[in-house]
Amino acid sequence: MMNPIELKKAVGSGLLSFPVTHFDDQLTFDEAKYRRHVEWLSGFDAAALFAAGGTGEFFSLNPAEIPQVVRAAKASAGKTPIISGTGYGTSLAIEIAKAAEKAGADGLLLLPPYLMFAEQAGLIAHVKAVCQSVGIGVIVYNRDNAVLTAESIARLAEECPNLIGFKDGVGDVDKVIEITTLLGDRLVYVGGMPTHEVYAQAYFAAGVTTYSSAVFNFVPALAQRFYGALRTGDQATVDEILKSFFFPFVALRNRKKGYAVSIIKAGLRVLGQNPGPVRPPLTDLTQEELTLLEKIVQANGVSRIAAE
């Protein structure tokens, strides 16, 4: 496992992604297919992979399944760091965090606690308790009902040496600028909006130069090409890929609630891979929507042969 400083450096070095979690027809974790998928993704130079993250259906996995997913990812990812999801209430988040660390996770992504909105003091206590329960690096995910202020993040960074990252899923770039300006290089900053590529240029200007890419699951070469164009200032390529792939992809994703996850598994099916269905309460794409996604993928030169 990496120490927190090593993980921080790795996360900031390139594009990130979070593999979908494969299920069989009975919605049981399909470890063999998952391991093949992680092994395939690790060949496309991801800086780190998030196992059992949001796109990995963390919310539908039971606590015993999460370390199982982490162990499978670690066994298949080679030298690519594996960051496990954790979350829910403080006690359960600590339990999952410790189990993920024991399973070999290099770090943790702390997702929002279950349902409740809380004051800053409560959120600080929650994050601090999880950080202090493990020795590996922790990235806090700002979104939904867990939005920490710049002052709160600064306090946590001072009190928790293994808090190494801040991931934003809110989209208030002015707040992100406040955090990056206040904390400087104390943390690594990760973009975490749904299909973050359509927000990436604004975040780059705010000092957030890496992000987690969901589409990396099924078009990793295209995702890396887009990321490379962003990093080098190749605006023509950025605009081309936004118009030909990401804008129509987002329009399809926005058709129904929960499709931010479902459409990624559908992308793998388009390429002839079978990650299995999403678990309820999510729903899979319809056949019509799957056909539309296939046209988007094919229009960008991605074929089943290329995926294989």
Side-chain angles (χ1 to χ4, degrees):
M1 293 185 293
M2 290 185 167
N3 67 47
I5 300 302
E6 291 171 333
L7 180 65
K8 175 186 170 185
K9 183 177 180 181
V11 169
S13 69
L15 187 61
L16 312 167
S17 189
F18 28 98
V20 298
T21 301
H22 292 56
F23 303 125
D24 61 23
D25 292 340
Q26 285 71 48
L27 298 178
T28 301
F29 175 49
D30 192 328
E31 182 172 340
K33 286 184 178 178
Y34 179 76
R35 289 184 60 164
R36 285 196 295 271
H37 182 57
V38 170
E39 183 179 4
W40 181 61
L41 292 181
S42 66
F44 289 89
D45 296 326
L49 295 174
F50 293 88
T55 300
E57 298 182 67
F58 169 82
F59 46 84
S60 76
L61 297 171
N62 68 54
E65 289 176 311
I66 293 169
Q68 184 181 1
V69 171
V70 170
R71 280 191 293 270
K74 283 293 294 181
S76 308
K79 295 181 179 180
T80 305
I82 295 298
I83 300 170
S84 171
T86 188
Y88 304 114
T90 305
S91 177
L92 185 51
I94 289 172
E95 179 183 318
I96 294 170
K98 288 181 175 180
E101 181 179 36
K102 187 176 180 180
D106 297 286
L108 298 168
L109 175 66
L110 180 53
L111 285 89
Y114 173 73
L115 195 61
M116 299 303 295
F117 286 84
E119 296 296 328
Q120 291 296 300
L123 293 173
I124 289 170
H126 173 70
V127 176
K128 185 176 178 179
V130 174
C131 286
Q132 291 180 341
S133 73
V134 295
I136 54 180
V138 178
I139 300 170
V140 64
Y141 197 176
N142 235 36
R143 66 175 295 170
D144 297 326
N145 60 318
V147 179
L148 291 151
T149 65
E151 291 76 15
S152 296
I153 294 290
R155 179 177 165 183
L156 284 164
E158 182 177 342
E159 297 180 3
C160 304
N162 63 329
L163 180 66
I164 58 103
F166 170 83
K167 182 176 180 180
D168 183 72
V170 178
D172 291 339
V173 177
D174 57 331
K175 299 296 184 184
V176 175
I177 292 172
E178 183 182 2
I179 291 167
T180 58
T181 301
L182 181 63
L183 281 97
D185 63 1
R186 169 61 183 84
L187 300 176
V188 62
Y189 304 99
V190 180
M193 296 295 288
T195 316
H196 189 85
E197 283 86 351
V198 299
Y199 301 91
Q201 293 181 90
Y203 272 77
F204 266 49
V208 181
T209 55
T210 190
Y211 56 87
S212 51
S213 171
V215 302
F216 191 94
N217 269 281
F218 66 99
V219 285
L222 181 68
Q224 286 286 20
R225 181 173 168 236
F226 181 83
Y227 179 72
L230 277 171
R231 293 297 296 262
T232 60
D234 182 356
Q235 192 63 46
T237 298
V238 168
D239 291 347
E240 170 206 337
I241 299 174
L242 282 172
K243 288 186 288 187
S244 65
F245 182 82
F246 285 109
F247 291 158
F249 175 85
V250 168
L252 182 56
R253 183 204 71 193
N254 288 344
R255 281 190 170 197
K256 292 178 185 172
K257 295 177 181 178
Y259 267 14
V261 175
S262 305
I263 198 170
I264 304 303
K265 281 196 165 178
L268 283 167
R269 283 194 287 275
V270 163
L271 296 184
Q273 301 181 32
N274 182 19
V278 292
R279 278 180 174 174
L282 296 182
T283 56
D284 287 301
L285 271 64
T286 66
Q287 184 56 52
E288 176 208 359
E289 291 163 340
L290 200 62
T291 300
L292 290 173
L293 179 59
E294 185 172 12
K295 290 179 180 178
I296 295 169
V297 170
Q298 290 176 346
N300 283 270
V302 181
S303 65
R304 291 191 178 204
I305 294 174
E308 291 167 1

